[in-house]
Structures are given as C-alpha cells and as structure tokens.
Amino acid sequence: MKELNESLPSTFTTEVSRAHGVHPRDLYAWRDQGRIVELSRGVFRRADAPPASYPDMIAVAHRAPRAIVCCISAAVIHDLTDEMLASVQIAVPKRSHTPVIAYPPVTVFRFDEATFELGLTSFEAGPGEPVRIYDAARTVVDLMRFRKRFGEPIAHTALHRYLTVPGARPALLLEYAEALGTFGPMRAALDIVSAR
C-alpha cells in the first residue's frame, strides 16, 4: 500500500488524489485506517491536518466550487445571529446545475446571475482553506429579502448586529438592497433602527 502523500492538501477530492498518483484502493484503505476522514462523498481530510473550524462548509465548497455560503449560514460566520442550522445554506446561479449533496445536509438557494457575485468574499473555514461567502452587508440584505421565510426577528437581529460593528456601512446595505430589489423594506428597517 502506498504511503499517505505529503503533497496532498489538508482537504482534497478523489480527483486530486488521482492526480497525485493515489489509487482509489489506497485512498479507501487510508480512510479505513483513520489516516484520512471522509467529509462528504469524494471529499477527504487528512487526519494530521490542523483542525478546521467549519469542516462541513469545506466539504460543501469542494463538492460545489461555484456555490457561495449565504443567508443564515453566512450570518453565523459573520456573528449576525445565534441561530443553529441543521444544514449549510448555499447560493448557486439560477441557470446552473443544482448540486445534490446528501451529507453534510445542504439547502440550496437559486440567485439571479446578474447579482450572484455581489458582495462575494471568502473566509478561512480551516487553516489556509478559503470558502466563498457573501459579506456581512449582503447577508443582512438577503435575510431582509427572505424575512418571510426566516422570520422578521432574524433579519432585524442581523441588521442591528451589523450596525454595531465598527466600520458598518449603512449606505452599502442600501446599495445592495437596491440591486437585489428590497430597497423599501431595507430603508424602513434602517429608519426604525436609527430612530431608537
């Protein structure tokens, strides 16, 4: 059996391991020996890798590279909510293929292509492992857009927390809200918060 290749990254796919000359038989032997952990179908993490803060999000990013962490999942990362989620929420462009991921559980949102990458940034889900995510302002606006689905309190809590962070940009919220078709509700929510 082949030794675990030091050049393999902390998290890798079956395709990446093949490119490093690893036979699937060796890959699954390593998994069975506990030398690697299978995060999702075809996505593995070295057991000797530094701990990841968000292994589920790393797994989803490898399964759906174009997807962007959104809504409540993004709000958790940006510390805009205390909600606990049973699934990773991701956005994909409307006309793209919807990823089918059994584990970890995923909720897929289809966002318009024209504004899909508006507010796109990344965060380190594990040491040296960036994952695509919407920035805090876009996350607040998305929660306002989907307030009927998630509830007004979640949207308003996220807005309040966003505004208390140094460097918060209310004008950016309105810019995003205009682009995403939720300017009226966002303006009204900002007016209520500023009147307090």
Side-chain angles (χ1 to χ4, degrees):
M1 184 178 82
K2 193 167 184 160
E3 280 304 302
L4 183 55
N5 191 330
E6 289 301 317
S7 66
L8 282 171
S10 294
T11 307
F12 58 92
T13 60
T14 306
E15 293 80 35
V16 168
S17 68
R18 274 196 201 116
H20 280 80
V22 177
H23 191 279
R25 165 186 67 241
D26 294 326
L27 189 66
Y28 290 101
W30 293 341
R31 182 198 62 190
D32 295 345
Q33 294 167 358
R35 297 168 72 192
I36 60 173
V37 177
E38 190 166 13
L39 299 179
S40 185
R41 185 173 57 80
V43 180
F44 302 88
R45 186 166 180 84
R46 300 171 65 108
D48 62 358
S53 303
Y54 300 96
D56 285 356
M57 292 190 188
I58 292 173
V60 171
H62 280 275
R63 294 284 306 274
R66 186 139 185 243
I68 302 173
V69 175
C70 69
C71 299
I72 297 176
S73 290
V76 168
I77 301 300
H78 295 304
D79 197 27
L80 299 173
T81 186
D82 293 326
E83 295 292 312
M84 296 300 291
L85 276 180
S87 69
V88 177
Q89 295 178 338
I90 57 171
V92 297
K94 268 189 182 162
R95 292 192 190 124
S96 70
H97 169 74
T98 301
V100 179
I101 302 171
Y103 186 86
V106 171
T107 304
V108 179
F109 291 82
R110 296 179 129 335
F111 285 0
D112 188 51
E113 286 92 343
T115 55
F116 181 68
E117 293 195 344
L118 181 70
L120 174 63
T121 187
S122 65
F123 76 104
E124 205 169 79
E129 296 183 89
V131 169
R132 291 159 52 102
I133 189 171
Y134 287 119
D135 66 17
R138 167 74 191 250
T139 300
V140 170
V141 173
D142 283 339
L143 292 175
M144 191 62 69
R145 282 198 305 155
F146 297 115
R147 64 194 181 285
K148 287 186 173 52
R149 178 174 181 164
F150 298 127
E152 297 261 354
I154 289 175
H156 289 286
T157 297
L159 173 61
H160 179 73
R161 285 194 184 180
Y162 174 79
L163 293 173
T164 61
V165 172
R169 298 171 54 201
L172 183 60
L173 291 175
L174 292 173
E175 183 184 315
Y176 286 172
E178 173 112 36
L180 296 167
T182 192
F183 184 85
M186 190 79 251
R187 172 85 260 177
L190 278 168
D191 288 346
I192 290 167
V193 170
S194 61
R196 289 180 182 166

